[in-house]
Amino acid sequence: MAQASAKVVIIGAGYAGMAAATCLAKEGFGVTVLEKNKQLGGRSRMFEAASFRFDMGPSWYWMPEVLEAFFNKFGHTVAGFYTLKQLDPSYAVFFSQNHIMHIPAQAEARMQLFEAYEKGSGARLKQFLTEAAYKYKVGMEELVFKPGRYVYELADPRILKSLFKLHLIQSFHRYIRKFFHNRYLLQLLEFPILFLGATPQKIPVLYSMMNYADIALGTWYPMGGMHEPIKALVKLNEALGTTIITDAEVQGLSIEDARVQQVHTARQVFEADIVIANGDYHHVEQHLLPTSYRSYSEAYWNKRVLAPSCLLYYVGVNKKLACLFHHNLFFHTPLEQHFQEIYESPRWPSNPLFYVSCASKTDATIAPPGCENIFILVPVAPGLADTAEIRERYLRFTLQKVEAFTGQNITEHIIYKKSYAHQNFVQDYHAFKGNAYGLASTLRQTAIFRPSLQSKKVKNLYYTGQFTVPGPGVPPAIIPGQIVAHEVIKAWG
């Protein structure tokens, strides 16, 4: 058990913070979670308006075994908290009005789909997924739970034995072109890379494990919405005695003898033996710590490569919409230009690709009868000027594309709309440059090259979340919370 019920204060109630709280509370630590906002969940919050219920951020539920394994550690199953439904088709890709690719959930149907686009590609897909499955197995079993603190972590014989097969140096862009040549298939395989923070030319092949998660493991949905896993984590924590306080923004940390002694909010001061920051790493470093206790300089942060931000829209429509599926990708132009305008020459995109979720196709509880719940996401570069005029322009652009591709009027049937972009990410999460996904997952920002999960200058200050190992993603966002909890237990348990 923990040393004399050591007091742990966790800043932020996102996936990682709540996962860390669960693990530590089980081991006997006295855990208090302080959440800046009125609702728990970090980017995975939800809100209700005009009888619609909107998930605010993550909308894709991949890798279901990650959350299942987590709940199993506490004697529970996912099914004890919410119902998972596999989507079929997993999603649809709109290339034009008359060209829509439906991604089937069944393996044989996927091979037939690939074969229809490129002769021989069905068999090559099987080979590609076999290699991706190996990367997924090694990645999930040997790599993602490494704390990223020391080089020797990668010297594990099991990892060294796998290095050649992991293709850590080769680019994803070059690798997939050994298997496929059809431009539509290439776009399908490159789209998960869009949110990692670099072009496919700069992302290592290791991340083909995401294609395995997408194509082989399937796309799922927790009935009730993507906030359901957060509600489950809250229930686990409440049963374990965790104290959870909302509307409690941390304003400062008192440090003596290179240790955090107190965590300050506007209304209360919390004594702490250990502090875990699940808030924005840059914000905690640069705004909550005295200069002499910062592990990284502002220059360091400005040199980091960030993953994208997002322009989001929450739209309520007072009619049922034909032709849309739960997940819809609008790839009306090749990915390359949009990639360039996010990563190489950051600017507001000239002809953006975008994603539309119509989760009410699966879940009738999130929209009034006869209505649809629409979520639109445009990936954009972080750090851009964010104005009301820009938001309105891109809403018109995306809606016009959807209307043209599906042959129906949507704009005149909107009864609720709300936008969310850089300014909101900064206001709600103190997100560095308004980013949505943390640091890019380039080779130079992977594993030991990510910011440390323990402060280099404050002995009892730890970090977790999308800036630390292994990086962003849902449900894998639950992994960094387990990693930091393990490190705390080793040092303090």
Side-chain angles (χ1 to χ4, degrees):
M1 300 296 285
Q3 291 180 13
S5 297
K7 297 177 182 177
V8 180
V9 175
I10 297 177
I11 304 171
Y15 270 106
M18 295 303 290
T22 314
C23 295
L24 293 171
K26 182 186 177 185
E27 294 300 316
F29 289 83
V31 181
T32 299
V33 178
L34 303 177
E35 169 55 42
K36 171 185 182 293
N37 296 302
K38 296 183 184 299
Q39 191 182 46
L40 305 173
R43 285 160 170 77
S44 200
R45 293 181 296 153
M46 55 79 67
F47 73 94
E48 298 186 34
S51 299
F52 293 90
R53 189 167 68 249
F54 294 98
D55 285 314
M56 292 191 67
S59 59
W60 293 79
Y61 195 113
W62 281 350
M63 305 161 71
E65 80 285 355
V66 175
L67 274 167
E68 188 65 58
F70 180 83
F71 287 116
N72 290 169
K73 292 180 179 180
F74 301 91
H76 296 277
T77 64
V78 162
F81 295 102
Y82 53 89
T83 300
L84 269 186
K85 180 176 181 179
Q86 185 171 15
L87 304 183
D88 191 10
S90 297
Y91 50 94
V93 186
F94 289 75
F95 294 107
S96 68
Q97 183 174 0
N98 300 313
H99 185 180
I100 305 172
M101 181 190 290
H102 305 98
I103 311 303
Q106 293 77 28
E108 184 61 34
R110 290 192 300 269
M111 291 178 64
Q112 293 174 3
L113 170 68
F114 271 63
E115 193 67 29
Y117 277 84
E118 182 179 324
K119 186 174 179 58
S121 66
R124 293 196 295 274
L125 174 64
K126 187 175 182 180
Q127 180 188 351
F128 173 79
L129 289 178
T130 298
E131 295 187 15
Y134 179 82
K135 295 177 178 67
Y136 187 87
K137 178 178 174 62
V138 173
M140 296 305 294
E141 294 181 3
E142 311 294 350
L143 292 177
V144 298
F145 282 94
K146 299 290 185 183
R149 300 182 67 182
Y150 308 106
V151 174
Y152 66 69
E153 292 172 20
L154 302 179
D156 187 307
R158 294 168 298 180
I159 297 175
L160 293 175
K161 183 180 178 180
S162 306
L163 287 180
F164 181 76
K165 287 186 176 182
L166 292 177
H167 301 98
L168 287 176
I169 304 300
Q170 189 175 355
S171 79
F172 183 84
H173 177 273
R174 181 178 178 185
Y175 175 77
I176 62 171
R177 282 160 176 76
K178 292 181 179 180
F179 295 90
F180 311 104
H181 303 285
N182 179 273
R183 72 181 183 94
Y184 299 112
L185 297 182
L186 291 172
Q187 280 190 279
L188 174 66
L189 294 172
E190 287 183 335
F191 109 81
I193 303 301
L194 182 63
F195 301 100
L196 291 179
T199 64
Q201 290 88 341
K202 295 183 179 180
I203 293 291
V205 177
L206 173 64
Y207 288 101
S208 64
M209 61 187 286
M210 293 181 63
N211 296 116
Y212 178 77
D214 166 14
I215 300 173
L217 299 182
T219 302
W220 302 75
Y221 175 77
M223 297 300 290
M226 291 292 291
H227 190 66
E228 291 300 307
I230 290 293
K231 290 165 63 177
L233 289 171
V234 172
K235 289 180 181 178
L236 269 182
N237 273 282
E238 289 175 343
L240 291 166
T242 300
T243 299
I244 303 173
I245 305 174
T246 58
D247 200 17
E249 180 175 0
V250 173
Q251 298 180 333
L253 303 173
S254 293
I255 300 175
E256 295 179 16
D257 299 325
R259 293 180 181 274
V260 180
Q261 304 292 332
Q262 295 177 326
V263 179
H264 295 259
T265 69
R267 296 193 303 250
Q268 194 172 350
V269 176
F270 297 85
E271 303 294 328
D273 299 306
I274 304 148
V275 174
I276 299 175
N278 181 215
D280 183 89
Y281 203 131
H282 169 269
H283 173 75
V284 174
E285 274 259 308
Q286 300 299 311
H287 297 283
L288 300 185
L289 287 177
T291 304
S292 59
Y293 288 110
R294 297 171 187 170
S295 299
Y296 305 101
S297 66
E298 190 67 29
Y300 167 89
W301 289 109
N302 284 324
K303 290 179 181 178
R304 296 311 92 193
V305 179
L306 295 176
S309 187
C310 292
L311 174 54
L312 306 173
Y313 301 99
Y314 313 98
V315 180
V317 179
N318 68 358
K319 72 171 185 176
K320 302 304 288 185
L321 299 175
C323 300
L324 283 179
F325 296 84
H326 187 122
H327 295 301
N328 310 269
L329 300 171
F330 285 80
F331 286 176
H332 45 278
T333 188
L335 274 68
E336 287 79 8
Q337 180 177 337
H338 198 162
F339 272 127
Q340 289 291 321
E341 291 173 337
I342 294 176
Y343 302 123
E344 303 299 321
S345 303
R347 71 190 78 171
W348 283 100
S350 53
N351 189 22
L353 311 174
F354 60 95
Y355 156 70
V356 175
S357 171
C358 187
S360 50
K361 293 292 183 184
T362 302
D363 188 351
T365 69
I366 63 174
C371 297
E372 299 281 26
N373 178 317
I374 303 296
F375 170 86
I376 303 172
L377 183 155
V378 183
V380 294
L384 300 179
D386 169 21
T387 68
E389 186 278 328
I390 288 172
R391 295 188 186 196
E392 190 62 30
R393 172 156 51 95
Y394 281 99
L395 177 60
R396 290 195 302 269
F397 174 91
T398 55
L399 287 174
Q400 287 169 2
K401 286 289 184 185
V402 175
E403 290 174 337
F405 282 21
T406 63
Q408 60 195 321
N409 183 286
I410 299 174
T411 304
E412 293 180 3
H413 293 272
I414 293 175
I415 57 175
Y416 177 82
K417 66 178 181 179
K418 177 181 178 179
S419 63
Y420 196 99
H422 302 74
Q423 292 181 36
N424 303 99
F425 282 106
V426 172
Q427 178 180 339
D428 289 351
Y429 312 119
H430 295 299
F432 183 44
K433 298 183 179 180
N435 81 85
Y437 298 97
L439 285 188
S441 295
T442 61
L443 189 58
R444 293 183 179 182
Q445 292 184 165
T446 296
I448 59 174
F449 301 114
R450 295 186 80 81
S452 176
L453 60 74
Q454 183 173 11
S455 170
K456 299 176 182 180
K457 297 184 178 181
V458 183
K459 297 175 183 178
N460 62 341
L461 175 59
Y462 295 79
Y463 294 87
T464 190
Q466 59 187 10
F467 276 80
T468 65
V469 290
V474 175
I478 207 165
I479 293 174
Q482 296 175 76
I483 295 173
V484 76
H486 179 69
E487 292 298 297
V488 169
I489 293 165
K490 279 198 310 182
W492 298 78

